[in-house]
Amino acid sequence: HRLKLRAAFQSRALKVTHTQKMAETKTQIAKPDSVQCFGRKKTSVAVAYCKRGKGLIKVNGQPIEYVKPEGLRDKVLEPIFLLGYPRFKGVDIRVRVRGGGYTSQIYAIRQAIAKSLVAFNQKYVDEATKTEIKDILMSYDRTLLVADPRRCEPKKFGGRSARARFQKSYR
């Protein structure tokens, strides 16, 4: 009878150690400090993945300095100009953007970058830094943090566009 009890106790002990080992491996595999945010403009959506790093900012795998068209490149770099590069030194931001045209993609990218930095500071740094960053961005341009709700109005019958009607003739 004692042998059966000892065997049962040992099997329980093995199960406990196995579950403890599983819990330990899960904590070791835990993802690095990271946040995911999106920016939107019309039909384009940009998803920014922000994590601790050396200050890399890439858009669709390319460095942010090579964003096309060149005329709108300053728009993408606005959050960096406003907040200063030292705030971006401790983080890596990778942005994927799809849909829309050139301009709307640029606006979606800048919004995603700004929102991801604010979210990262809120989650992993402190609330005071987050509020400071948010105030700087909001005082410059609200669309850096808040999406523009305007969308294209659908065309209706009886005309060539959403509002314009066909010309009416009486004779």
Side-chain angles (χ1 to χ4, degrees):
H1 185 67
R2 276 189 185 163
L3 288 171
K4 283 183 180 177
L5 283 172
R6 184 177 281 165
F9 181 74
Q10 284 177 343
S11 68
R12 276 193 190 144
L14 284 172
K15 284 181 184 174
V16 170
T17 55
H18 180 68
T19 53
Q20 285 173 345
K21 284 180 184 175
M22 289 297 287
E24 287 173 13
T25 55
K26 281 183 182 174
T27 54
Q28 288 170 354
I29 299 171
K31 287 187 178 177
D33 298 345
S34 64
V35 289
Q36 210 170 8
C37 286
F38 62 87
R40 284 191 175 152
K41 175 76 174 167
K42 293 186 181 176
T43 56
S44 63
V45 179
V47 179
Y49 181 72
C50 182
K51 62 180 182 182
R52 289 200 192 278
K54 300 175 285 197
L56 288 170
I57 302 173
K58 290 195 169 188
V59 177
N60 288 345
Q62 297 286 324
I64 196 165
E65 294 84 32
Y66 298 127
V67 170
K68 300 269 191 213
E70 286 112 34
L72 291 168
R73 192 172 292 156
D74 288 344
K75 278 284 178 198
V76 174
L77 298 170
E78 267 176 7
I80 301 158
F81 293 152
L82 286 169
L83 301 170
Y85 189 70
R87 286 195 207 266
F88 288 87
K89 248 199 173 18
V91 293
D92 284 349
I93 301 175
R94 301 194 185 286
V95 185
R96 293 186 325 269
V97 64
R98 300 183 76 178
Y102 300 122
T103 307
S104 60
Q105 281 191 356
I106 296 276
Y107 279 88
I109 292 165
R110 77 198 274 261
Q111 188 181 49
I113 290 170
K115 281 171 76 175
S116 68
L117 191 70
V118 169
F120 185 86
N121 278 286
Q122 181 178 12
K123 199 169 180 182
Y124 300 111
V125 185
D126 62 343
E127 197 67 28
T129 313
K130 176 223 131 179
T131 321
E132 186 184 336
I133 289 171
K134 203 170 177 182
D135 290 341
I136 292 167
L137 294 171
M138 282 295 242
S139 64
Y140 179 74
D141 187 2
R142 191 166 181 267
T143 57
L144 280 166
L145 296 174
V146 182
D148 188 357
R150 296 177 297 173
R151 295 290 175 268
C152 187
E153 192 177 341
K155 181 197 176 299
K156 281 89 171 181
F157 56 85
R160 56 183 170 73
S161 67
R163 299 285 174 100
R165 301 293 97 200
F166 292 129
Q167 192 171 346
K168 186 177 177 184
S169 68
Y170 288 98
R171 59 186 90 192

